Amino acid sequence: MSAVTVVVGTIKGTFLVRADRARTSWKVEGPLMKGWKATSVGPDGAGGYVLATASDVYGCAVHRSTNFVDWRQVETGPAYDAGSGFKLNQIWKLVDVGARLYAGVDEAGLFESPDHGETWTQVRGLTAQESRKKWFPGFGGLCAHSLLAGDGGRRLWVGISAVGVFRSDDGGATWNSKNAGVPQVIPDDEHPEIGYCVHALVQDPTDHNTIWRQDHRGMFRTQDGGERWERIENGLPSGFGFPIVFEPRTRTLFAFPLESDEYRIPKDGKLRVFHSKDGGDSWAPLANGLPDEPFYETVLRQAMAVDTCDPAGVYVGTTGGNLFWSNDVGASWQRLPAAFPRILCVEAFAEA
Amino acid sequence: MARVTVQLPSVLSIVVGDERRLTVEAESLAAALEQLIERWPGLRGHLFDEAGSFREHVLCFHNQTSTRWLPSLDVPLAEGDVVTILQAVSGG
């Protein structure tokens, strides 16, 4: 295996982009699982990997691999009960929290696996919310797309569009809305605790109660597990955007702001990754090596990633199928000489 | 029991590998489909929705007859019949 493997999940299949640890030249493999959307990929907690696929025709599934190349579909993936009234449209996020693997899905819900993705059961406490009947989909669907964990998996956060952030302090049995300080997008008269449109969440691995939130209504941070969110947009050209990632060694945040929810294009037609080295207090653009010509592709919520090398690599996949990479924590960038289908997710895996 | 041919679309090779054209022995269309799912349990979610109906854009033909025209899948099979799973394609 190469030292660094970047899994590029697209609307038409999965690609592997591989390099040695210097990450100066890359080799592209794929497409794997041709014709299937790759919607999330991550570690399975047992030394291998899990990947979620979806099809507008054939539904979705979970696959496991030990080498990124050979994938086996698990036989009993996440599935709502026939009587639930819910439909499983897509698996948005696979997250290993140690003892369990979670899948955040559309229609919004969570599933958990005790055996690294082989079998799944629904986390019923989330969809048992009294407000569930009023949950309203965002433009991308009614999706549970972000999941964070702390306290050994006892404390969980889930981000649902366009409902908001819920937190569980009992391993998923019960959940409470945690959105104070964030403006709503669709207030609900019966359930004022919903109507928020979180786009992505990322967590400080040294303090699980510090979370950054790219929301429909702006960029926010909490330092108390979601009890209170504060707006942090100093230096950003717009508060709107989708991905937010955190590089722990240099404690750098990366984001990709877009011009308003109405237009959803890069501000002024410039591809600019923004970063913050002070926990979100201030932001600045990164442009060295990024195209200066007009650029109107965007970056979806799961299409930005960092690796664990030193210095860290940063990877940005666009809706136009371009992959931009940096091997120096964003100081300089290059475009991979390949054009993929629309990129849905990017994850980077480096050998220890 | 009738020996029938089942044909699956290439995109489902993600589950069935290279066995996209195979022979099964079954008395009815429903039994033939159930045999496929017993062999590849992951197929169930790809072919059927939560209510147990074929997914909206999945077509199943018994010879030249779409199952959408049939009241149920309890259709007797005859030796040499062909069951074909297709992706419904529309638009341009």
Side-chain angles (χ1 to χ4, degrees), chain A residues 5-22:
Chain A
T5 299
V6 181
V7 180
V8 179
T10 80
I11 199 167
K12 293 292 185 183
T14 301
F15 295 84
L16 307 177
V17 183
R18 309 227 203 206
D20 61 18
R21 214 163 179 86

Side-chain angles (χ1 to χ4, degrees), chain A residues 69-126:
Chain A
V69 175
D70 303 304
W71 294 92
R72 173 183 58 82
Q73 180 175 317
V74 306
E75 293 188 350
T76 51
Y80 282 120
D81 295 341
S84 70
F86 303 133
K87 186 178 175 188
L88 185 64
N89 298 310
Q90 181 172 311
I91 297 164
W92 272 84
K93 190 68 178 175
L94 294 167
V95 182
D96 170 35
V97 305
R100 281 164 292 172
L101 199 63
Y102 282 94
V105 306
D106 176 331
E107 291 181 53
L110 284 179
F111 289 81
E112 61 182 338
S113 170
D115 50 13
H116 311 293
E118 287 298 322
T119 61
W120 296 83
T121 56
Q122 188 190 344
V123 179
R124 296 183 188 278
L126 182 61

Side-chain angles (χ1 to χ4, degrees), chain A residues 33 36 56-59 61 63 73 75 80 82 86-88, chain B residues 9 11-12 14-15 41-42 45-46 50 55 57-58 86-87:
Chain A
M33 291 172 276
W36 291 81
D56 294 336
V57 176
Y58 298 110
H63 309 260
Q73 180 175 317
E75 293 188 350
Y80 282 120
F86 303 133
K87 186 178 175 188
L88 185 64
Chain B
V11 73
L12 287 179
I14 194 172
V15 184
H46 293 317
E50 284 81 358
R55 287 183 170 278
H57 298 292
V58 172
L86 287 174
Q87 173 176 329

Side-chain angles (χ1 to χ4, degrees), chain B residues 30-60:
Chain B
L33 292 169
E34 200 53 45
Q35 276 191 40
L36 294 184
I37 290 166
E38 279 179 20
R39 183 163 177 188
W40 296 290
L43 265 185
R44 184 183 300 280
H46 293 317
L47 300 183
F48 298 104
D49 63 19
E50 284 81 358
S53 303
F54 273 113
R55 287 183 170 278
E56 184 180 8
H57 298 292
V58 172
L59 293 178
C60 177

Side-chain angles (χ1 to χ4, degrees), chain B residues 45-79:
Chain B
H46 293 317
L47 300 183
F48 298 104
D49 63 19
E50 284 81 358
S53 303
F54 273 113
R55 287 183 170 278
E56 184 180 8
H57 298 292
V58 172
L59 293 178
C60 177
F61 279 81
H62 171 217
N63 296 327
Q64 303 301 312
T65 303
S66 169
T67 59
R68 293 190 182 189
W69 309 332
L70 302 173
S72 82
L73 298 179
D74 290 324
V75 180
L77 295 177
E79 190 78 10

